[in-house]
Amino acid sequence: RSAEPLFRRAIALNPKDPSIRSGYAGLLGRESRFDEAVAMAASALELDPGSFRLNYRMGTELFRAKRFERLLSHMQKVVGLHPAEGSGFCLLGRAYEWLKRFSEAEAALRQADELPDKLVSLAFWATLFAAKGAITEAARATAKIRSNWLTQISETNVYLTALCSLAMASGER
């Protein structure tokens, strides 16, 4: 928790900067302080409600808190506001996945596939396949991610996400 006093000080010095609050929400979420993380993400959103990045942070914290119904409702609104952001559809798909509404998860991921960054949606496909117990398809998706990972430098953690999906499918959910 050594970073916590720094975040509090930064917020005190820059109370109108939502990115500080968003970063702090991420820290709280990683520390499994879910109620605080969601509240901090909400306070960031109050400062800039139209920001995709801040809305995605809220979605991430709702996911960590396992508030899947609220995540679903939130991400439905987000993709309506930001239909060109594939990762929004991916997180919407993740909400459906964890609610075991697999056909709706697939529909959300197909929408993400229509947008430019298909590598991001591929990782979410891998987790969906794993959640459905389709381990062969999950492994195939993971192999595609790995191939892309090895041929180009990626700035995302999609490969690790796909590997984690296989771990979850093997009972570590």
Side-chain angles (χ1 to χ4, degrees), residues 119 122-123 125-126 129 135-151 158-163 165-166:
L119 189 58
L122 188 56
W125 277 110
F129 289 140
I135 303 306
T136 301
E137 288 87 350
R140 216 175 280 135
T142 302
K144 284 183 188 176
I145 294 167
R146 184 173 192 277
S147 173
N148 282 316
W149 184 271
L150 294 174
T151 58
V158 294
Y159 179 58
L160 295 176
T161 301
L163 290 177
S165 73
L166 294 177

Side-chain angles (χ1 to χ4, degrees), residues 21-42:
R21 294 169 187 269
S22 178
Y24 189 20
L27 172 73
L28 294 167
R30 285 186 298 279
E31 291 181 348
S32 301
R33 296 165 60 188
F34 304 122
D35 291 337
E36 293 170 87
V38 169
M40 187 56 61

Side-chain angles (χ1 to χ4, degrees), residues 53-117:
R53 185 177 51 79
L54 298 177
N55 274 288
Y56 195 87
R57 165 63 67 199
M58 174 59 88
T60 298
E61 299 316 323
L62 290 170
F63 177 76
R64 286 182 184 166
K66 297 185 179 182
R67 296 180 187 167
F68 304 123
E69 290 288 347
R70 189 166 165 204
L71 171 61
L72 176 62
S73 174
H74 180 74
M75 292 313 296
Q76 286 171 330
K77 291 174 192 166
V78 172
V79 299
L81 291 171
H82 301 278
E85 293 287 350
S87 56
F89 287 102
C90 290
L91 196 50
L92 175 61
R94 177 66 44 85
Y96 283 125
E97 172 192 324
W98 280 75
L99 292 168
K100 300 199 182 311
R101 293 167 60 178
F102 298 131
S103 63
E104 291 157 296
E106 289 173 2
L109 293 180
R110 279 193 296 278
Q111 287 183 280
D113 285 343
E114 296 298 317
L115 299 168
D117 191 358

